[in-house]
Amino acid sequence: PITVYRKDYQPYPYDIPEVALAFDLAPDATEVRCTMHVQRKPGASADAALILDGEDLELVSVGVNGAALTADSYHLSEQNLAIYGLPADATVEIISRCKPSANSTLMGLYVSGGNFFTQCEAEGFRRITWFADRPDVMSRYRVTLRAQPQYPVLLSNGNLMASRQLPDGRNEVEWEDPFPKPCYLFALVAGNLTHRETTVKTASGRDVLLQVYSDPGSETKTEWALDSLVRALRWDETRFGLELDLDRFMIVAVHDFNMGAMENKGLNIFNAAYVLADADSATDANYEGIESVIGHEYFHNWTGNRVTCRDWFQLSLKEGLTVFRDQEFSADMMAHDMDAAAAASARAVKRIDDVVALRAAQFPEDAGPMAHPIRPESYQEIGNFYTATVYEKGAEVIRMQHTLLGEEGFRAGMDEYFRRHDGQAVTCDDFVDAMESVYVRQHPGRDLSVFRRWYRQAGTPRVAVKLEHDAATRRCTVTLTQECLPVGVERKAGADYVKAPYHIPFAIGLLNQDGRSLPLRHDGAVQETALLELTTSSQQWVFEDIDERPVPSLLRDFSAPVIVDYDWTDEELALLSAHDTNPFARWEAGQELATRQILALAEARQAGRTLHADAAFINAWRALLTDPAIDAAYRARALALPSEKTLAERMHAVDPPALAVARDFLRAELGRQLAAEFRLAFEQNQTPGEYSPAPVPAGMRALKNLALSHLLAAGEHDAQRLAEQQYERAGNMTDSMAALSALINYGQGDFPQEALAAFYDKWRDNPLVVDKWFALQAAARSTTVHTARELMTHPAFTLRNPNRARALIFQFCLNNARGMHHPDGSGYAFWAEQVLALDALNPEIAARLARALDNWARFVPALRAPMQAALQQVRAHEGLSRNVQEIVSKALE
Ligand code: HT7
Ligand code: ZN
């Protein structure tokens, strides 16, 4: 396999300012005529060949300036079409054919539900026509679509210029996108679709048409998506001064899709799971996810499309920044119309959810064989680098710049970024340069040179905190020391590879022994929270006028993506969990207590000792559960037990079944010991009346359903009846799924299985709900490999649909600790089988599943050997895709 290196970047020798694409669409043979205006760049060699990428295409003809090319002036290989001897300015015309109906990769042009869709990022355009498939070649596109009348809706990027019926009965339309774009942002959709639309006025007073397209019959489920789009448009105007630049913006829902959505210019294509919702069939989490993904793709219009990436190593330039923007959008929407205290809590809830996701997915990635900097140095298959590191850690790196510059400074940096780079394909350094231009004005004599290391070093830094208090001088000295050991490929560089310290914004508060927060005299100001800027391996800060040894509240708001090492006593954690005024740090303290408790239980389980929960821990949980000052949404987060993935990061040798037993024990024990309190929470957080996905009722449901799961897990008297009743009477999908999940995991008797069967019968025609049905069972405690295999024989199961594969296979392999990590290795054999089966259909999806065994070397010895064997089996398979090959080889290196 070929490795591509960031250091090898070379500009493309040609500009392609204009492209005309004409499609004769047919499922079995689509003909594409691609006419390009090609200009050699000044300074490029006169004999530079025009090298175009192409994959899985049939060449019909190639011509230059109207004349067909002879065989000696071009060369066709598996992956390229090279044209020699081009004049400095030429029109190149290529006619090719592809077969969308046979395209199971869902990259390029494909058929889903009888309609045509495209997916071009990162390298899918080359499956549509031969082209310079790289983001720094930007062109203006004119697109003609011709198709039979059974495809009445014909869409592409930009503005609709013409529409007519052809003499042969087919329809023909022409679209023109006024903005130059890289080919990965090209899109077309053709089919039988319905739509919902609205017209809004932009900040500068232009009318813009917003549309959401979906399958006929689903128009009742697109209201939330369209409303979310309007909110996103308004938010970008208000918070960043960025306006929609097109007259028309379309979103199209498709059921077969590899990721969440795609930001094609003016024609976003979405996984239907992030568009369709109504109260009956979608959960609170679905509503939240839709708003956030619609925001994300819409925000790409500026951060990604107007300013794009020079090369794919710069992916985090658009993804990290856009995730940061979507996180802020969601936080602002959640805090909207609330008083200051409620808004702070709502924002903390969003921050907690984002950090939980980061720790569950990105921290393990950063500690495993696929560890890479947010701007990778090399890749074999770019599709494998749409990772939690590039996206979520990338967003944290942007967030740290926001923290260092402040809201106003960050906005000034963004304005400067667009002033410098609108219409260009640029690098992560260009972004930091713009931010630095503001930072150096704010902080004379300082710069962001150390900060830039976040872009080139991988791994999660650890920050050790030492706190010394001198009663005589009433001084408290805080010492921060950072360390980040080489990870992944960095380790291969050997002992010479030395990692340099990071620039870490570290937010800290101090509480006295009664839990009151102490004023911090720092940097000439008196604050409740001080932002320490750690830029060397170790630094000290002194806080004056501190009478007694304080309890530190560290890394408030998770001000940097690091791991904190500080040895709080359990009593100190309980104090922070009860009193910290920073809601994020308060949550963190409770989670640390729960983590200690579960790890101790897992150890007891491994040693064959009886399990019992600590009274102090139960009391801390009781205090959170009964504190009237905290709202339901926050309380649900505070009382959620840390996930198995987060806990695994804290184990010396990972033992998922032991962790699962420990968590289950604690869930049940809390249910028993706090039964009265949970019952009260269950009763007091009912949300009768019309369903609303708003944060307050959603928070109440989260708390109520958490209480229900504890009560049922504890086998509390009447809990099963409460769950059955909730399931039968639920007026929304959140409540029915929560009750069904509690019942199939902790319930008794025939009801759970009967309910499951009835659920399927009721929802069999709604694929998004059928996915939920599969997912619930795949992750259930009692599900074994045998059950998973049986579920695969269900008539509704197919590997060809990524959502369905994710619902069953991924849920089982990633979220069913007992089934997947059975000591007999059967889970790993199942995994290997499914990776290979998927690889034959859809390598991008197969490679994502392949990553489930990334961290095998960190597991307990009994699981390590069968995991390694399964990885070896996959690696030895002939004809493996480049995608899976890269993942399993790195895992085994
Ligand atoms: N920019 C997009 C990333 C993407 C993608 C989407 C769908 C299918 C395959 C894909 N490969 C890459 C989505 C985003 O981050 O907004
Ligand atoms: Zn994105």
Side-chain angles (χ1 to χ4, degrees):
I2 295 167
T3 299
V4 188
Y5 293 92
R6 180 168 75 89
K7 63 178 169 47
D8 292 343
Y9 172 80
Q10 292 287 336
Y12 197 64
Y14 289 91
D15 284 321
I16 310 182
E18 271 121 37
V19 180
L21 293 170
F23 289 82
D24 285 292
L25 290 161
D28 293 337
T30 287
E31 192 165 284
V32 184
R33 176 189 301 255
C34 172
T35 313
M36 300 170 252
H37 177 195
V38 179
Q39 291 174 320
R40 195 180 318 126
K41 280 186 182 158
S45 159
D47 32 61
L50 178 75
I51 300 187
L52 305 171
D53 307 289
E55 209 173 289
D56 239 353
L57 296 172
E58 183 192 330
L59 184 64
V60 177
S61 68
V62 47
V64 172
N65 292 336
L69 279 193
T70 53
D72 59 342
S73 47
Y74 72 92
H75 177 73
L76 189 61
S77 68
E78 270 273 300
Q79 288 166 4
N80 296 118
L81 173 64
I83 303 177
Y84 307 107
L86 265 191
D89 194 302
T91 299
V92 176
E93 186 182 87
I94 298 169
I95 302 179
S96 60
R97 244 180 247 130
C98 59
K99 190 171 180 184
S101 62
N103 182 359
S104 62
T105 67
L106 311 184
M107 295 297 289
L109 178 64
Y110 65 94
V111 175
S112 167
N115 299 326
F116 293 93
F117 297 90
T118 54
Q119 171 56 38
C120 294
E121 188 177 2
E123 296 180 337
F125 193 72
R126 63 187 64 186
R127 299 174 62 86
I128 295 176
T129 180
W130 274 278
F131 197 72
D133 192 357
R134 44 187 285 167
D136 58 347
V137 173
M138 298 172 79
S139 322
R140 255 190 208 94
Y141 283 71
R142 199 154 43 82
V143 177
T144 305
L145 305 176
R146 288 184 283 266
Q148 297 290 346
Q150 74 211 67
Y151 308 105
V153 176
L154 298 170
L155 309 174
S156 192
N157 318 87
N159 302 317
L160 180 63
M161 308 306 286
S163 169
R164 63 182 86 83
Q165 197 173 38
L166 297 172
D168 64 7
R170 290 185 306 159
N171 294 320
E172 182 185 80
V173 297
E174 265 180 56
W175 291 83
E176 208 171 276
D177 182 353
F179 294 95
K181 63 171 178 285
C183 64
Y184 82 84
L185 291 173
F186 165 80
L188 77 77
V189 171
N192 181 18
L193 299 162
T194 176
H195 75 275
R196 171 190 291 270
E197 66 181 34
T198 187
T199 300
V200 297
K201 247 189 214 329
T202 65
S204 69
R206 277 185 312 110
D207 282 332
V208 293
L209 175 64
L210 309 179
Q211 299 180 308
V212 179
Y213 288 82
S214 56
D215 286 333
S218 63
E219 50 273 43
T220 54
K221 299 195 185 110
T222 50
E223 190 180 348
W224 178 254
L226 188 60
D227 290 352
S228 299
L229 181 58
V230 175
R231 288 194 287 275
L233 179 145
R234 291 285 171 243
W235 182 86
D236 221 10
E237 289 181 341
T238 320
R239 182 101 183 244
F240 284 101
L242 297 172
E243 197 174 300
L244 178 59
D245 54 9
L246 292 161
D247 300 336
R248 177 172 181 163
F249 188 92
M250 298 168 279
I251 287 176
V252 186
V254 56
H255 280 280
D256 296 294
F257 203 67
N258 281 353
M259 301 250 290
M262 178 63 212
E263 70 265 24
N264 317 299
K265 184 80 187 185
L267 179 57
N268 286 190
I269 299 183
F270 270 61
N271 187 325
Y274 291 103
V275 177
L276 304 180
D278 62 16
D280 290 344
S281 65
T283 62
D284 296 334
N286 293 146
Y287 275 89
E288 200 185 317
I290 290 169
E291 184 177 73
S292 137
V293 178
I294 291 212
H296 181 97
E297 306 311 327
Y298 177 78
F299 304 141
H300 265 315
N301 191 49
W302 279 92
T303 50
N305 300 5
R306 285 288 284 252
V307 183
T308 194
C309 302
R310 185 194 72 172
D311 54 72
W312 290 122
F313 295 103
Q314 317 298 329
L315 184 57
S316 202
L317 170 79
K318 73 178 178 83
E319 295 304 347
L321 178 54
T322 306
V323 171
F324 169 75
R325 275 154 53 70
D326 85 51
Q327 289 176 347
E328 285 297 292
F329 167 60
S330 296
D332 286 347
M333 293 304 108
M334 285 175 183
H336 182 68
D337 266 354
M338 288 181 172
D339 64 41
S345 176
R347 296 189 69 87
V349 163
K350 172 64 179 155
R351 188 73 186 123
I352 289 165
D353 290 348
D354 291 339
V355 173
V356 165
L358 181 85
R359 285 184 175 145
Q362 199 278 326
F363 276 28
E365 180 166 272
D366 233 349
M370 269 293 285
H372 52 277
I374 63 166
R375 181 187 54 202
E377 295 297 340
S378 67
Y379 60 76
Q380 290 171 13
E381 168 52 58
I382 185 58
N384 288 338
F385 283 80
Y386 286 78
T387 58
T389 298
V390 165
Y391 275 66
E392 275 75 31
K393 185 176 178 181
E396 293 301 320
V397 172
I398 300 293
R399 184 173 293 279
M400 287 189 284
Q401 295 174 63
H402 179 267
T403 303
L404 290 169
L405 273 75
E407 170 67 13
E408 245 177 69
F410 186 80
R411 170 66 197 273
M414 288 289 280
D415 291 351
E416 181 62 14
Y417 174 62
F418 292 117
R419 197 190 63 71
R420 293 181 185 184
H421 300 299
D422 188 12
Q424 299 173 9
V426 304
T427 65
C428 295
D429 273 328
D430 292 321
F431 180 83
V432 183
D433 287 347
M435 288 294 157
E436 192 173 47
S437 72
V438 178
Y439 185 81
V440 295
R441 276 203 307 273
Q442 292 175 327
H443 305 85
R446 279 149 64 179
D447 62 26
L448 294 178
S449 52
V450 173
F451 187 87
R452 289 173 199 263
R453 292 174 188 156
W454 283 107
Y455 285 87
R456 61 165 192 265
Q457 297 183 157
T460 309
R462 302 188 83 95
V463 178
V465 182
K466 195 165 104 197
L467 186 141
E468 291 156 302
H469 180 255
D470 183 344
T473 56
R474 298 171 62 231
R475 273 200 185 129
C476 179
T477 306
V478 172
T479 309
L480 302 184
T481 306
Q482 58 169 306
E483 181 182 46
C484 189
L485 298 174
V487 285
V489 281
E490 294 172 347
R491 281 216 305 259
K492 279 201 288 177
D496 305 342
Y497 186 83
V498 180
K499 287 175 90 166
Y502 292 85
H503 185 160
I504 299 174
F506 196 94
I508 175 174
L510 297 176
L511 274 68
N512 72 8
Q513 300 293 338
D514 301 328
R516 259 185 312 111
S517 59
L518 298 167
L520 302 182
R521 287 169 226 289
H522 171 67
D523 260 359
V526 184
Q527 299 153 310
E528 206 186 317
T529 300
L531 186 71
L532 313 181
E533 290 189 38
L534 176 64
T535 53
T536 61
S537 53
S538 188
Q539 278 164 249
Q540 272 190 353
W541 288 264
V542 176
F543 299 102
E544 309 280 353
D545 302 333
I546 311 275
D547 288 325
E548 53 180 351
R549 185 182 167 83
V551 179
S553 159
L554 302 174
L555 201 69
R556 287 185 155 180
D557 297 325
F558 196 72
S559 58
V562 301
I563 296 168
V564 175
D565 285 327
Y566 182 77
D567 217 359
W568 286 281
T569 63
D570 284 359
E571 292 70 30
E572 287 176 323
L573 287 174
L575 180 120
L576 289 167
S577 156
H579 300 292
D580 199 330
T581 49
N582 184 270
F584 181 88
R586 181 179 182 182
W587 165 82
E588 185 89 294
Q591 293 293 298
E592 178 60 23
L593 274 177
T595 301
R596 289 181 184 183
Q597 186 65 202
I598 298 170
L599 292 177
L601 289 165
E603 230 178 273
R605 158 84 185 184
Q606 286 171 322
R609 295 195 303 268
T610 24
L611 309 188
H612 82 260
D614 209 57
F617 171 75
I618 303 280
N619 284 336
W621 237 235
R622 178 180 289 112
L624 286 168
L625 181 51
T626 54
D627 184 342
I630 46 181
D631 61 68
Y634 180 85
R635 203 178 312 184
R637 271 63 178 190
L639 295 166
L641 297 178
S643 74
E644 281 166 25
K645 297 217 166 42
T646 313
L647 292 161
E649 287 302 290
R650 299 281 293 268
M651 275 190 129
H652 181 61
V654 184
D655 186 349
L659 277 178
V661 169
R663 273 182 98 242
D664 273 352
F665 171 83
L666 196 58
R667 179 183 290 109
E669 195 57 23
L670 283 164
R672 269 189 289 281
Q673 297 204 35
L674 303 178
E677 291 86 348
F678 275 126
R679 196 172 292 264
L680 202 63
F682 181 79
E683 281 159 13
Q684 289 179 338
N685 287 283
Q686 300 291 329
T687 54
E690 203 188 328
Y691 172 79
S692 155
V696 171
M700 291 169 74
R701 281 187 288 275
L703 180 57
K704 173 197 65 167
N705 289 324
L706 176 108
L708 183 64
S709 75
H710 278 286
L711 292 169
L712 209 66
E716 272 304 300
H717 162 71
D718 235 18
Q720 169 119 359
R721 188 186 55 80
L722 291 180
E724 289 178 8
Q725 242 173 34
Q726 172 164 320
Y727 178 71
E728 277 167 345
R729 297 179 192 168
N732 60 75
M733 185 53 89
T734 307
D735 283 345
S736 28
M737 283 293 287
L740 189 57
S741 167
L743 283 163
I744 67 167
N745 280 296
Y746 309 109
Q748 283 160 7
D750 297 334
F751 189 92
Q753 285 311 314
E754 286 168 9
L756 262 180
F759 186 92
Y760 178 77
D761 281 343
K762 177 171 175 191
W763 294 107
R764 59 193 310 150
D765 295 329
N766 183 328
L768 299 178
V769 184
V770 172
D771 289 337
K772 296 185 202 315
W773 182 79
F774 275 112
L776 205 63
Q777 296 176 80
R781 290 163 79 222
S782 58
T783 293
T784 61
V785 171
H786 178 72
T787 334
R789 285 189 193 282
E790 237 171 44
L791 279 167
M792 284 183 72
T793 64
H794 191 280
F797 184 75
T798 167
L799 271 185
R800 288 179 176 270
N801 174 260
N803 286 0
R804 198 57 47 94
R806 280 186 278 259
L808 175 47
I809 316 274
F810 283 59
Q811 275 298 319
F812 179 79
C813 293
L814 292 162
N815 289 330
N816 191 325
R818 288 180 178 83
M820 173 67 174
H821 300 284
H822 194 283
D824 68 5
S826 56
Y828 309 141
F830 174 76
W831 165 87
E833 242 175 77
Q834 302 315 322
V835 168
L836 294 177
L838 274 169
D839 201 33
L841 297 169
N842 187 330
E844 288 221 343
I845 300 295
R848 290 201 175 258
L849 181 64
R851 296 212 46 199
L853 261 55
D854 263 7
N855 287 342
W856 66 276
R858 293 169 54 203
F859 280 65
V860 287
L863 300 179
R864 225 180 282 158
M867 281 175 139
Q868 186 181 19
L871 277 160
Q872 283 164 339
Q873 184 200 333
V874 171
R875 188 178 57 180
H877 188 82
E878 226 174 284
L880 212 54
S881 69
R882 209 171 49 205
N883 309 57
V884 172
Q885 172 86 47
E886 179 173 27
I887 301 298
V888 291
S889 328
K890 285 185 172 163
L892 287 167
E893 259 167 22

